Amino acid sequence: MGRRRARQRDGDPAADEVPVPTAPPGAELLADADRPDSWFLVVEGTPQSHVDLTDPTHLDFSYVRRIAHAVDLVAPEGEPIDALHLGAGALTLARYVAHTRPGSRQRAVDVDAPLVEVVRRRLPWDRRAQLRVGIGDAREWISARRDASADLVVSDVFSGARTPARLTSVEFYTEAARVLRPGGFLVVNIGDGHTLDHARAQVATAGAVLPHLALTAEPGVLRGRRFGNLVLVAGHRPLPADDLGRRAHRDPEMARLLAGGDLDRFASGRSPVRDADAVDSPAPPDGVF
């Protein structure tokens, strides 16, 4: 989820030599008013992705840049990785990985087949990228992946503006942790605000499965002053928290990092969420986007 201005619904049909699909109901492709060859994917009124077709390293949304900080630190610079993306959207992060880490093997999954086809046709990615996109339920899909097969798992699944309950539980995190290699990162995009009860519970839930955690968010979000995105990074081994914190602080939309005792206090008193009591993430307030 992100915020900025856009224009021109579904592009200029006259520019296409052959007919291409239009966005399915509830989804729009909007041209970026500020950057040529750049597009927003908006689903049910919520900005889900931004793609610059000529520069995959341009990441418009601040939370996506914070996910990219983890991508940059999961392995030595430029080294190929194996990455899994839960929630395809317009494949912003997959394009970034393919560009900054040539030779990476990536797989993505999304439940919305018509939307994936629109992205494939209207926002094509580099054919040299080893990127495959499947259609299906993210929880079932990750459960079918092999043990210790991924250096990076990114969970960025939203139905409209809410993460489905089945992707917020100990059982889900257990599957994601199983797929991670010992030095790999699980990165989760969490939408929350005000009391941050959902985000605090997600930290407790991830911490019940993976021992090393860090959380980044803009200060206003961490203080509960507004609804926004919190990025959780988790792993089997200690994380480069200092580097993640420096990168978050230096971002154009400065963010803070919580780790160690600070993160323990953030999640204090929260119990891990199980399938039996999991609920969708909270809906953002009207007009937040």
Side-chain angles (χ1 to χ4, degrees):
M1 297 180 290
R3 298 177 295 172
R4 210 158 59 73
R5 66 193 182 98
R7 61 170 169 80
Q8 190 179 336
R9 180 174 303 184
D10 287 337
D12 178 7
D16 296 315
E17 293 287 334
V18 297
V20 297
T22 57
E28 297 177 294
L29 290 177
L30 304 176
D32 187 335
D34 299 321
R35 295 182 68 88
D37 298 320
S38 297
W39 299 86
F40 291 93
L41 171 63
V42 181
V43 180
E44 297 180 14
T46 301
Q48 296 281 19
S49 302
H50 178 277
V51 170
D52 185 325
L53 295 178
T54 59
D55 182 7
T57 66
H58 176 80
L59 304 176
D60 193 81
F61 297 163
S62 61
Y63 85 86
V64 177
R65 294 194 296 272
R66 285 185 274 120
I67 296 175
H69 297 159
V71 172
D72 293 341
L73 294 171
V74 73
E77 183 177 355
E79 183 176 295
I81 62 173
D82 292 325
L84 303 177
H85 303 267
L86 310 183
L91 297 163
T92 305
L93 257 297
R95 298 168 199 261
Y96 179 85
V97 171
H99 186 84
T100 59
R101 297 182 175 278
S104 293
R105 295 179 297 183
Q106 301 188 81
R107 296 191 68 183
V109 66
D110 201 285
V111 73
D112 193 333
L115 185 58
V116 169
E117 183 59 21
V118 166
V119 170
R120 189 189 305 274
R121 296 289 300 276
R122 298 204 70 116
L123 306 176
W125 53 89
D126 190 336
R127 292 184 179 180
R128 295 169 294 181
Q130 297 181 53
L131 170 61
R132 289 191 290 164
V133 183
I135 306 302
D137 175 84
R139 172 80 173 262
E140 294 176 1
W141 188 85
I142 195 72
S143 298
R145 307 278 72 80
R146 292 181 291 106
D147 292 0
S149 59
D151 303 296
L152 177 73
V153 177
V154 178
S155 180
D156 189 10
V157 179
F158 284 83
S159 177
R162 306 181 72 177
T163 300
R166 57 193 277 102
L167 300 177
T168 68
S169 66
V170 166
E171 291 86 347
F172 164 71
Y173 281 100
T174 299
E175 287 300 315
R178 176 187 61 78
V179 169
L180 276 184
R181 291 177 177 144
F185 295 168
L186 168 65
V187 187
V188 184
N189 178 24
I190 302 169
D192 203 3
H194 190 41
T195 61
L196 299 174
D197 286 339
H198 174 69
R200 297 176 199 275
Q202 286 302 285
V203 171
T205 304
V209 177
L210 290 163
H212 301 283
L213 308 174
L215 183 75
T216 60
E218 294 169 25
V221 175
L222 277 178
R223 295 188 183 110
R225 293 178 178 173
R226 66 178 182 81
F227 194 97
N229 300 87
L230 304 95
V231 173
L232 178 65
V233 183
H236 295 288
R237 294 181 178 173
L239 304 172
D242 289 344
D243 281 343
L244 285 169
R246 278 192 290 269
R247 290 167 188 248
H249 184 77
R250 293 170 182 168
D251 189 82
E253 298 181 57
M254 186 188 72
R256 287 180 54 205
L257 178 138
L258 300 181
D262 290 337
L263 191 55
D264 291 341
R265 285 186 286 276
F266 177 83
S268 178
R270 267 60 177 191
S271 298
V273 175
R274 301 278 176 177
D275 274 346
D277 50 42
V279 297
D280 294 351
S281 67
D286 291 343
V288 71
F289 301 117

